[in-house]
């Protein structure tokens, strides 16, 4: 990893979702750059980009936890016909995520091999991270936004005209303040917490990060012991944001990022909660464990110089009974679960928890 100071410009070519703005200097902690393209796609087009079905393409990698949020929300809301999705492979070179999963290694809609091309269409001098998720304007080929946190909120609140019948309300008005508070803690101490451990630049910064992460997980364990979901009695944006870290915890973060006080399977409420969500349509059917492991273990050569990808752990336990129904709650509230995953978006056989 290049040595930088938190105020330094991000060098060209930092392409992984964890690379942009991640600084780990001797004695220092972890800092993620948050200088995203914050243009919003809204119902009223206030930023010049109105919601229009078929106009945009969501570009993701199933390996990336930030992109996985968008994959889950898009599926729960039934936006497949309104917002197409391009899937990058789990690994990349120093320049960019690539479309190596597609025939000819070219995205069939955007006609590009590298996501970097879409960023340079937006700004030929773009020198920040080439991150996923990104939403691209198909006609111009330019990235509109890569602001992953706002992106999923806008899918819930700005794209309502194109939600499927029975789509859940993932960001209900009455609960937004609590959702925001819980989601902020999750982002700060859990989503980013695992990275603070993995990319710590000193023993001291690692120790601080480790304590902070597991203190947060202990709070969540207590919270979820008596309630099925994080906020209210239905699935919300907060649950999506926690799930994408939990589903990677034992397969990557426990060993690769040294987050090893406990496995997820050692935390009864969190483990049952995570299985409950995994078995809910829209969550587990988007998870690709093979891509997740390949990305972290092959790309992070500073942490794993050999590039060897571990065979384990077993993932079949994600399908075992969780018993969370006893706590009440209705996953989709007054709505309904999404239908089967469309054929062209299914996780490859053998990559899930079959």
């Amino acid at each position: 990893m290049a040595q930088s100071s938190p105020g330094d410009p991000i060098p060209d070519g930092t392409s992984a979702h964890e690379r942009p703005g991640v600084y780990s200097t001797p004695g220092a902690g972890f800092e993620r750059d948050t200088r995203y393209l914050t243009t919003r796609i809204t119902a009223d087009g206030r930023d010049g980009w109105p919601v229009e079905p078929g106009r945009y393409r969501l570009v993701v990698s199933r390996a990336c936890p930030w992109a996985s949020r968008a994959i889950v929300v898009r599926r729960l809301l039934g936006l497949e016909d309104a917002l197409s999705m391009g899937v990058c492979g789990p690994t990349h070179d120093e320049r960019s995520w690539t479309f190596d999963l597609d025939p000819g290694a070219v995205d069939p809609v955007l006609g590009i091999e590298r996501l970097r091309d879409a960023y340079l269409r937006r700004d030929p001098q773009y020198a920040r991270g080439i991150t996923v998720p990104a939403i691209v304007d198909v006609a111009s080929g330019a990235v509109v936004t890569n602001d992953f946190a706002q992106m999923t909120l806008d899918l819930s609140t700005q794209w309502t005209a194109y939600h499927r019948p029975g789509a859940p309300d993932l960001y209900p008005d009455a609960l937004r303040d609590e959702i925001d508070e819980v989601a902020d803690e999750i982002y700060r101490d859990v989503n980013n917490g695992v990275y603070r451990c993995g990319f710590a630049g000193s023993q001291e910064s690692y120790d601080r990060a480790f304590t902070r992460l597991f203190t947060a997980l202990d709070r969540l364990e207590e919270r979820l012991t008596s309630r099925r979901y994080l906020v209210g009695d239905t699935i919300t944006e907060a649950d999506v944001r926690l799930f994408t870290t939990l589903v990677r915890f034992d397969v990557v973060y426990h060993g690769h990022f040294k987050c090893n006080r406990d496995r997820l399977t050692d935390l009864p409420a969190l483990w049952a909660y995570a299985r409950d969500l995994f078995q809910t349509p829209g969550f587990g059917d988007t998870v690709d464990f093979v891509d997740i492991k390949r990305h972290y273990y092959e790309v992070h050569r500073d942490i794993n110089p050999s590039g060897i990808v571990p065979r384990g752990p077993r993932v079949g336990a994600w399908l075992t009974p969780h018993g969370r129904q006893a706590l009440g709650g209705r996953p989709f509230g007054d709505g309904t679960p999404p239908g089967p995953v469309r054929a062209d978006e299914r996780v490859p056989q053998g990559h899930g928890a079959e």
Side-chain angles (χ1 to χ4, degrees):
M1 179 182 299
Q3 301 300 310
S4 306
S5 298
D8 289 344
I10 301 172
D12 189 19
T14 52
S15 56
H17 66 272
E18 63 288 313
R19 285 292 191 258
V22 173
Y23 302 99
S24 185
T25 55
F30 165 98
E31 182 170 344
R32 182 184 300 281
D33 183 77
T34 55
R35 294 176 295 159
Y36 299 105
L37 295 170
T38 56
T39 314
R40 291 177 62 192
I41 300 169
T42 58
D44 62 6
R46 70 193 72 166
D47 287 354
W49 298 98
V51 170
E52 293 180 15
R55 178 170 179 174
Y56 307 100
R57 187 159 176 81
L58 173 65
V59 178
V60 300
S61 169
R62 297 189 190 278
C64 170
W66 319 102
S68 291
R69 296 180 180 185
I71 298 172
V72 171
V73 169
R74 172 180 174 269
R75 173 147 161 67
L76 292 176
L77 298 177
L79 287 170
E80 291 92 339
D81 291 336
L83 179 64
S84 68
M85 185 171 74
V87 181
C88 296
T91 62
H92 50 72
D93 60 21
E94 70 282 357
R95 288 178 287 173
S96 178
W97 295 92
T98 60
F99 294 97
D100 51 291
L101 301 179
D102 291 305
V106 173
D107 181 87
V109 173
L110 299 175
I112 56 177
E113 296 179 358
R114 298 179 177 277
L115 181 56
R116 183 173 185 264
D117 296 343
Y119 278 85
L120 296 179
R121 290 278 182 91
R122 168 69 181 263
D123 177 4
Q125 304 303 316
Y126 189 84
R128 285 174 271 169
I130 309 300
T131 63
V132 290
I135 296 182
V136 180
D137 174 53
V138 174
S140 67
V143 170
V144 177
T145 180
N146 66 337
D147 186 355
F148 66 88
Q150 186 62 49
M151 187 184 297
T152 51
L153 297 181
D154 284 344
L155 292 180
S156 284
T157 62
Q158 302 298 315
W159 289 72
T160 54
Y162 303 101
H163 290 181
R164 65 178 176 84
D169 187 352
L170 300 176
Y171 197 49
D173 284 325
L175 297 176
R176 286 185 185 180
D177 287 346
E178 186 177 0
I179 291 171
D180 291 345
E181 180 181 358
V182 173
D184 181 66
E185 179 182 358
I186 290 169
Y187 173 76
R188 184 183 64 246
D189 296 337
V190 180
N191 301 147
N192 255 359
V194 293
Y195 284 87
R196 286 194 187 92
C197 291
F199 289 110
S202 70
Q203 185 68 51
E204 293 74 18
S205 62
Y206 166 75
D207 289 345
R208 288 194 302 270
F210 184 94
T211 299
R212 185 174 177 179
L213 167 65
F214 282 99
T215 297
L217 289 175
D218 286 342
R219 288 195 300 269
L220 291 166
E221 173 76 8
E222 182 178 2
R223 183 184 185 97
L224 290 165
T225 296
S226 59
R227 57 196 305 166
R228 189 171 180 184
Y229 303 111
L230 285 168
V231 181
D233 65 352
T234 64
I235 291 166
T236 68
E237 174 81 16
D239 297 297
V240 176
R241 295 188 180 199
L242 181 56
F243 173 78
T244 58
T245 294
L246 295 183
V247 81
R248 289 163 172 76
F249 201 89
D250 286 3
V251 297
V252 172
Y253 302 142
H254 179 272
H256 185 59
F257 278 178
K258 307 180 185 70
C259 302
N260 63 353
R261 191 199 75 177
D262 299 295
R263 297 168 300 172
L264 178 62
T265 56
D266 297 323
L267 300 167
L270 278 167
W271 172 224
Y273 163 82
R275 297 202 315 279
D276 186 3
L277 291 179
F278 188 93
Q279 295 169 34
T280 299
F283 285 87
D285 53 28
T286 70
V287 174
D288 189 320
F289 287 113
V290 172
D291 275 15
I292 289 169
K293 289 198 295 184
R294 284 196 59 202
H295 172 72
Y296 285 91
Y297 284 100
E298 292 185 30
V299 171
H300 295 171
R301 293 304 178 99
D302 45 350
I303 297 177
N304 185 43
S306 69
I308 294 172
V309 179
R311 296 289 298 272
R314 296 177 180 176
V315 295
W318 281 95
L319 300 179
T320 59
H322 52 75
R324 298 282 291 180
Q325 301 93 332
L327 294 174
R330 300 174 300 150
F332 299 99
D334 295 329
T336 59
V341 180
R342 54 196 301 169
D344 60 342
E345 294 187 0
R346 290 175 188 156
V347 172
Q349 188 172 3
H351 286 215
E354 294 89 348

